[in-house]
Amino acid sequence: MKNSYGSSVSVTLFGESHGPEIGIVIDGLAPGIEIDKNYIDKKLSLRRPQGKISTARQEADEYRIVSGAFEGKTTGTALTILIPNQDTRSKDYSATKDLARPGHADFTADEKYHGCQDYRGGGHFSGRITAPVVAAGAICQQILEKKGIVVATHIKSIAGIEDKSFNPLCPETEGLGDKYFAVLDESKEAEMTLAIEKAAEEMNSVGGTLETAVTGLPAGLGEPWFDSVESMLSHAIFGIPAVKGIEFGMGFGFADMKGSEANDNYRMENGRVVTATNNNGGINGGITNGMPVIFKTAIKPTPSIAMAQDTIDFKKKENAVIELKGRHDPCIVHRARAVVDAITAIVLCDMLAQRFGTDYLR
Amino acid sequence: MKNSYGSSVSVTLFGESHGPEIGIVIDGLAPGIEIDKNYIDKKLSLRRPQGKISTARQEADEYRIVSGAFEGKTTGTALTILIPNQDTRSKDYSATKDLARPGHADFTADEKYHGCQDYRGGGHFSGRITAPVVAAGAICQQILEKKGIVVATHIKSIAGIEDKSFNPLCPETEGLGDKYFAVLDESKEAEMTLAIEKAAEEMNSVGGTLETAVTGLPAGLGEPWFDSVESMLSHAIFGIPAVKGIEFGMGFGFADMKGSEANDNYRMENGRVVTATNNNGGINGGITNGMPVIFKTAIKPTPSIAMAQDTIDFKKKENAVIELKGRHDPCIVHRARAVVDAITAIVLCDMLAQRFGTDYLR
Amino acid sequence: MKNSYGSSVSVTLFGESHGPEIGIVIDGLAPGIEIDKNYIDKKLSLRRPQGKISTARQEADEYRIVSGAFEGKTTGTALTILIPNQDTRSKDYSATKDLARPGHADFTADEKYHGCQDYRGGGHFSGRITAPVVAAGAICQQILEKKGIVVATHIKSIAGIEDKSFNPLCPETEGLGDKYFAVLDESKEAEMTLAIEKAAEEMNSVGGTLETAVTGLPAGLGEPWFDSVESMLSHAIFGIPAVKGIEFGMGFGFADMKGSEANDNYRMENGRVVTATNNNGGINGGITNGMPVIFKTAIKPTPSIAMAQDTIDFKKKENAVIELKGRHDPCIVHRARAVVDAITAIVLCDMLAQRFGTDYLR
Amino acid sequence: MKNSYGSSVSVTLFGESHGPEIGIVIDGLAPGIEIDKNYIDKKLSLRRPQGKISTARQEADEYRIVSGAFEGKTTGTALTILIPNQDTRSKDYSATKDLARPGHADFTADEKYHGCQDYRGGGHFSGRITAPVVAAGAICQQILEKKGIVVATHIKSIAGIEDKSFNPLCPETEGLGDKYFAVLDESKEAEMTLAIEKAAEEMNSVGGTLETAVTGLPAGLGEPWFDSVESMLSHAIFGIPAVKGIEFGMGFGFADMKGSEANDNYRMENGRVVTATNNNGGINGGITNGMPVIFKTAIKPTPSIAMAQDTIDFKKKENAVIELKGRHDPCIVHRARAVVDAITAIVLCDMLAQRFGTDYLR
């Protein structure tokens, strides 16, 4: 199930960067959920390029829901979202179609698909395909919010400039979902933006990290072993192009800690079980403990850069130099934020539906 | 499929720390593969506790293969490995059975299983259950080695003491599979061992990181989106208890890099496509590019520590203090190494069988 | 995965009878397969209503392939087919929307979807949704034919009028795929057609059976137990609306046979292993033996009939009488033929890709 | 997932006829379910050969539950049942190991497994492997019965001798689960038994049909398209060796009916929705309607017969004659009954857990 993810709630993704339409099928949603189009539009706008820090390709993302919705509500059957591609410049890609863009999937796609892949704009590998993911994820976020579950991601760092971290016991998610450039410490926005613009000027790009918090999840979600919360989330999140690392709670920071520092002591607080610290990111033994789920994601610098790069011509099997002409993002960290939120919401809807049944999310 | 993983080659895991037997079913192996019991024994010995740096629980791991093998070879049908539990001291656990060990799954298991879980020795959540994983993984490693594919993991750090890193273009895997304490720079062994012993004396524990290299994989393995190599590996590896982070290639290090530094330029070398650097860990767009696959895993300090800890009694719903009596590992990083190798081999056999068919691995 | 089927090659189905578009995503096809649009059109025409023996709803089935194809060939990524609904008369359904049409899914959908289903024209349960299945199946049939594998179904009976059976050793598949009304004994067409027209006049409907043969399959395909050829085919074929029975080889006829009659003796024939009879329909122990795979499918009479029927109003929870106004098929056996062929081809592509790898079907 | 079935509740099957142990892992059961060993023993006894109408192989089926149960109850983790093979006579098989027993999987297994299969007693294809299925199914039947859901199967026919059919509106399931030779009309037992004994004397075998009823299921279970109740049940039931056909409700009988006869009119009865007839076997559009689910299964005559049969030697690729020496069943219809019940219960537990959550079945 290559382009599909999930069991009780599942998604199937399709489309190419320069194809006529891209889309997603989301199956297993409970019936009767009101679809708030403004909410979806808002989330799509968070993913859309803006200003000098993003690609110049402008897509209105005028999506259509062609199945699974009736009279403004989900029907409970497979819901399909289609988004047309409008602002494509395929000729940018034809001259270099046999040159492997370093850091991109051109060569690996050629090996896998024996030269039959749609090369234009990265084809099926393009970040463009995350637009329908965000639309489907927005529906899942609405569903979760009605259950008191909030998914929120901020930019933890860009180009080495660090935002502050979430308070792991009580993450500052309020208002985060409304920001285009989502930082906790707003003084960092200008600094990060400048670094991105500078990279663009230098025909280069920068990477960063995202930090995600999920509040309101019940304890007891997830499984030991292969369907741990970490397993399910990481599986889906590594599907996002450019993600190269994920860590839960203290993550790699655990490596230098002692057990006595790392363990989160349990405490009773107003009759509720809590932990005094949240180093484990709300997950013990693969299962939620009722504290906020916290994880960080590493996003590599956009591989599309304008400066000349050494590479190969994979048809001729010889060395070559590539100079990219397309329109590119000097940084995708701020745009990837909406995608991480979306994927997280989809995974959690699936896990909740598996645990509590398909009607639970009504 | 909670305790199962995989599609063309799949595993199903079962058992409890103090139950009579634990085991694994591995399904989809090609027929006719010779089962080298010495090889399996060797790999099991790498996971087995040794000396003062590990738990005192001694298990011979005298496994039996009760199905799927005939006359020393795989039959192609579901292969089942059973391992008896012998050295259990269940009474160590009865006094504290309602106290949530911090960092452990006692509380989350109680929430999930409504108090019906086998609490002895961590029950189904115990690291003990990784023994059959290592046995099954050993069969997969043998299969891969016949194809020229080597999976090897070393201890990258313990308690903040760092081993050197693999050369990402040509990882030093030679002989690594024979070492019990697998470091590249052997001068680090004494230092790390000392740190573990010191933690044990202090009734504490330490964490660390593992670095894994896979060489010999063909280019073109994996899928864009949800079945990327990163997705498949991370899903399975987060199933291992105590793993809290994973990163591929430069991983979180990408966050501070520029695109021009991060991109791996392609080059022709003796008629073969290679990359000049290997920051992407052998994977572009979720698909192998023929370079070594490299990833790091974060292992948290063993949560079982002997010092008194604040916690709750989850039956009485009140605060409590716990002092653990069982036998515990002051560090599991060196033992987890064999488990990461095993899981990696299982995932890759599955991916190769999906791509090239079930007979490919004969 | 409710609307999905398959593993190495999978389909995901979506749409409603009166929604804007219906469609299918077919994932896992090998790259580089030429898509013969005439072939797809031909197969779609076999499913399309014609004459007095079918519904008056006329749909041109002007499908678009919006992903997974490039320059006339498959790319190897998820291929999506969209078909618009054009000739809908939704008002036919609004008056009776709370009345459960007997034999239909109105009541069960209402129970499952809590009243949120799209009731118009049967919504997601409509036979209309089989159009994209036929389009996707046509691509799979093309693929199989290049491998020398032919899938062919004929009308075995309608309204009790029997066509002759396939010769199970050497089924008469030649030319069958070109016939709209696919009978082996052409003298039966007029008789069956008359029976259908008579049922239509009487505001009634008739059922029948289909017999399918698959030739050219290699021996050794399928699995013991849960992924037997019978399991995989029956799972998918019972997804077709109105199918209520399936039997392989002699099927229910085995009940009255002796072992000595039922067993198919193996014989060598020109160096090839064959069976002297083919009572088992080419499958032993769930696995193909190289002989033609033969099975029969029971299709119930169309539940939509024009005469008045007793039923309930499921909103008011009271007895009622329903008189259907929509346009209906007095028989769907002849149209279901193309759907059975399509589903069979999809299942076999999946099984072949699982066994021999995803590139096998290039 | 070749030897696995199910999603929320799943089973994984392993073992060979003459291996040391056979078994099953059942995963996803709710925690806290009391395991009634007498109930399991009872169900195993229904599958066990008795008297002259069955094989002489005697197996005590002394099963062990080695995981997933604690203090007499399910824990909620993977539950494993192991059954030793004791009464094996492997030498019966060595002389004829390269001769394909007609009607058996010897040849197809050899093609699939390249000669590496365990040939003794049919290996993994043996009906012996259904013993753990019955044990796991017994646990599922207990679970369902606590929910008021009863699964019951009777012998509908053997050797052409017909038992009466279930009343489809109110099937006579009372006491059926206690009978070893489960017929509704007890006068048929002697007649059927005689026919089996006669076949045995003639070194031959006979087939038959089973009819299954499930009462107490809620309306709204199942899915349109690929996860219809018919799809799910048929998939699993065709995993049982010797099953060659399945039909729901009127099944193949629908072929000769008119829509007006076939449709089940809905009626209100004491405030409950019922149907006046139950031709559809309790399923409309793939979803339960609250009426009894009724289906029939065709069981072919045991392929193992003592008389000489023409066949091939698949090693030498030449014609041969085979005379079987093992101990065989002249009929397996009466024994298959317990297996059909077991599989049906497993499938329904899975479907209920998917719909209502994993805790629903506590």
Side-chain angles (χ1 to χ4, degrees), chain C residues 257-297:
Chain C
M257 293 170 82
K258 298 249 161 104
S260 57
E261 300 159 335
N263 286 347
D264 299 309
N265 291 343
Y266 286 102
R267 298 280 81 192
M268 295 306 300
E269 190 178 276
N270 306 322
R272 253 187 92 240
V273 176
V274 297
T275 58
T277 51
N278 188 14
N279 295 322
N280 283 280
I283 309 165
N284 289 127
I287 298 173
T288 55
N289 63 17
M291 297 298 291
V293 166
I294 310 270
F295 61 90
K296 285 198 205 77
T297 309

Side-chain angles (χ1 to χ4, degrees), chain A residues 45-58:
Chain A
S45 77
L46 299 180
R47 198 206 72 93
R48 205 170 294 136
Q50 289 190 13
K52 285 190 285 182
I53 60 172
S54 305
T55 175
R57 177 173 174 179
Q58 287 300 324

Side-chain angles (χ1 to χ4, degrees), chain D residues 341-353:
Chain D
D341 276 352
I343 288 275
T344 302
I346 291 166
V347 171
L348 292 174
C349 280
D350 182 30
M351 297 188 80
L352 288 161

